[in-house]
Amino acid sequence: MHLSGRVYLVGSGLSGFSLSHDSDCHVYLLDGGAELALIDAGAGLGLEGIMARVEALGLDRSKITHLFLTHLHADHAGGAAGLKQALPRLKVAVARETAAILRQGDEKAIHLEMGKKGGYYAPDYRFRPCPVDLELADGQEVRVGEITLKVISTPGHAAGHLCFLMEDQGLRHLFSGDNLFFGGRILLQPVADCSLKDHLASLVKLRGLGIEVFLPGHGSFSLGQGQRHIDLALDWLERCLIPPSFL
């Protein structure tokens, strides 16, 4: 599904558009010309379907050189190991402070058991360890062919959560992961690394970015006037209130 300029949606689960496995987040493909990149990997249970969508768009999967993970919850990062195995050129990029979790496949650190109890994953689902090639820091820029992604550290929903900023054809795109959703909504969960204080501070970091294309990890997105979703969340904060929940 072509969204905007160089951006395509190639995966999405039940909390989105059911393009791939039910457990998947939105998986975005970025076309940098000689190189392609993915934003998030889904849960890893429908990777061939995601790759088939890439090729149905007329794009060559062998050109996928980067996988940028917004955070390590299984619906976003569970597919990293499978993609790393299937795509020889792939560099996996994740926040520096959580890189060890992905390398070790640490299910406790990503609270996988709670996700299973909630019915989001099957009882026999496993979070596979995956090598990490790039440990990302706030403000870092990574070039992928003809495009550049800027890293914005946005902890709160999860430790090491990142958003990614990209400019294309004069438009600012924000890949917000689970930091912020359509309508200025957020998602807090009763797990140790989910911090309301950090989450609210992360929302403030997005003030005034001038986002046109707003692309979250689940649900609806905006192909125009994307900054309004950030501003809606900030308006709740300015009234000494917490933004409403995505779910």
Side-chain angles (χ1 to χ4, degrees):
M1 182 188 300
H2 183 214
L3 299 183
S4 171
R6 299 175 183 267
V7 182
Y8 301 82
L9 186 69
V10 294
S12 181
L14 277 181
S15 60
F17 301 97
S18 296
L19 297 179
S20 53
H21 193 271
D22 288 352
S23 297
D24 287 345
C25 67
H26 291 340
V27 179
Y28 297 102
L29 177 74
L30 312 183
D31 181 3
E35 295 181 319
L36 309 176
L38 293 170
I39 304 287
D40 284 330
L45 301 173
L47 292 181
E48 273 307 310
I50 290 174
M51 291 295 98
R53 288 188 175 277
V54 172
E55 296 193 338
L57 292 168
L59 299 170
D60 183 353
R61 71 167 76 182
S62 70
K63 291 185 177 181
I64 302 176
T65 58
H66 290 75
L67 168 62
F68 296 92
L69 297 174
T70 59
H71 62 298
L72 296 187
H73 288 165
D75 55 333
H76 290 256
L83 288 171
K84 182 73 169 172
Q85 185 175 5
L87 302 169
R89 300 174 64 193
L90 190 70
K91 296 179 180 178
V92 177
V94 66
R96 180 177 300 160
E97 54 267 44
T98 54
I101 295 173
L102 185 58
R103 289 188 176 109
Q104 297 164 11
D106 188 341
E107 296 183 351
K108 184 176 180 180
I110 66 165
H111 314 290
L112 182 60
E113 189 60 33
M114 182 170 287
K116 291 180 179 181
K117 289 179 180 178
Y120 300 109
Y121 311 103
D124 61 349
Y125 176 83
R126 293 293 177 263
F127 183 74
R128 293 171 56 194
C130 179
V132 174
D133 302 283
L134 298 173
E135 297 186 13
L136 303 175
D138 189 40
Q140 184 174 345
E141 295 186 352
V142 182
R143 188 81 177 171
V144 180
E146 299 166 3
I147 59 177
T148 299
L149 289 181
K150 183 175 181 179
V151 178
I152 305 175
S153 178
T154 52
H157 172 76
H161 191 289
L162 304 174
C163 293
F164 298 102
L165 180 67
M166 181 187 81
E167 295 201 27
D168 178 41
Q169 300 180 5
L171 301 177
R172 283 195 157 195
H173 298 61
L174 182 71
F175 301 90
S176 67
D178 286 358
N179 176 66
L180 185 65
F181 300 97
F182 191 96
R185 295 175 178 270
I186 64 174
L187 179 57
L188 299 174
Q189 296 177 310
V191 295
D193 66 332
C194 183
S195 165
L196 176 59
K197 179 180 178 181
D198 289 346
H199 203 142
L200 300 185
S202 292
L203 293 176
V204 173
K205 289 181 69 174
L206 305 180
R207 186 189 304 275
L209 288 181
I211 300 302
E212 191 69 18
V213 183
F214 176 74
L215 302 167
H218 303 275
S220 297
F221 41 74
S222 280
L223 304 182
Q225 302 181 47
Q227 186 69 33
R228 74 184 189 273
H229 302 289
I230 299 169
D231 293 342
L232 283 168
L234 295 177
D235 183 61
W236 285 98
L237 301 190
E238 289 166 1
R239 290 184 279 151
C240 202
L241 298 170
I242 300 170
S245 178
F246 170 66
L247 295 173

